[in-house]
Amino acid sequence: MKKVISLFVSICLLTVCLVFNSTEAQASASYDKAYAAKTLSVKSSPGTSYKTLGKIKKGKVVKVYGGVPVGKDQDNWYSYQQFGFSKIKYNNRYAYVKTDDLKFAKPFNWAPGVKSAVMKSVKKNQYVTKRDKIKLVKMAGTGKKGSPGMYIMYIKMDGKGEWMSLINIDCKTGWYHG
């Protein structure tokens, strides 16, 4: 009987520890802090034509959990008309706002998941190979007044020669061009 009670108590303690760790991991989820630069329209998906879930007033703190370089409904737009969306939490679910309408506390911090997505895309699109050396440098003149910071990706092909400018990258949405 003592063994059964001891086993039961052990299982209960283990369950409590697992639940606590899971809750703690969710609470410390990575996000980027921003402020609403103007009243934000909160959308159900990244794009202008999707359902509006509500509004966020100018000046409110917004936690950004990632970014999308081009709205789902903007693929056929000219590139100068396209803009990115930031993934936020609104009423306990993920939603999207225009990144240009946010003022970031740390403009050069990468939004969660964006840097790895960009690097994966750059490799998939064969901008770089495994033999190439790359470095990211903050682009002068960006990140002012909380606007998203831009990075320039430089490359040394086959790890040799001079550094060459390859692409410019928005660290909040992952948009890149070069």
Side-chain angles (χ1 to χ4, degrees), residues 30-34 62-65 104 106 109-112 172:
S30 182
Y31 65 87
D32 194 12
K33 185 178 176 183
V62 180
K63 292 180 180 178
V64 177
Y65 293 90
F104 291 90
K106 296 182 179 176
N109 279 6
W110 290 85
K172 302 301 183 183

Side-chain angles (χ1 to χ4, degrees), residues 22-142:
S22 174
T23 305
E24 187 177 61
Q26 289 173 355
S28 66
S30 182
Y31 65 87
D32 194 12
K33 185 178 176 183
Y35 301 90
K38 63 182 188 176
T39 299
L40 305 174
S41 289
V42 181
K43 297 292 189 174
S44 60
S45 281
T48 56
S49 63
Y50 294 97
K51 180 181 177 182
T52 300
L53 302 176
K55 302 272 185 193
I56 296 176
K57 291 183 180 181
K58 179 180 178 177
K60 287 283 191 177
V61 173
V62 180
K63 292 180 180 178
V64 177
Y65 293 90
V68 178
V70 179
K72 290 181 183 177
D73 58 356
Q74 297 176 339
D75 280 338
N76 295 326
W77 294 17
Y78 292 109
S79 63
Y80 73 89
Q81 295 173 319
Q82 298 172 347
F83 47 83
F85 285 84
S86 289
K87 183 178 181 180
I88 66 165
K89 280 246 178 134
Y90 185 77
N91 291 337
N92 293 320
R93 67 186 251 196
Y94 287 114
Y96 296 85
V97 296
K98 291 180 186 176
T99 302
D100 286 345
D101 294 342
L102 296 173
K103 181 179 177 181
F104 291 90
K106 296 182 179 176
F108 287 100
N109 279 6
W110 290 85
V114 169
K115 187 175 183 181
S116 60
V118 168
M119 298 309 275
K120 183 177 179 181
S121 176
V122 166
K123 289 174 183 173
K124 178 183 173 197
N125 291 324
Q126 299 178 351
Y127 280 59
V128 297
T129 68
K130 291 180 182 178
R131 296 184 312 260
D132 298 333
K133 287 187 179 182
I134 60 169
K135 69 178 176 179
L136 298 172
V137 177
K138 292 178 185 177
M139 182 185 286
T142 65

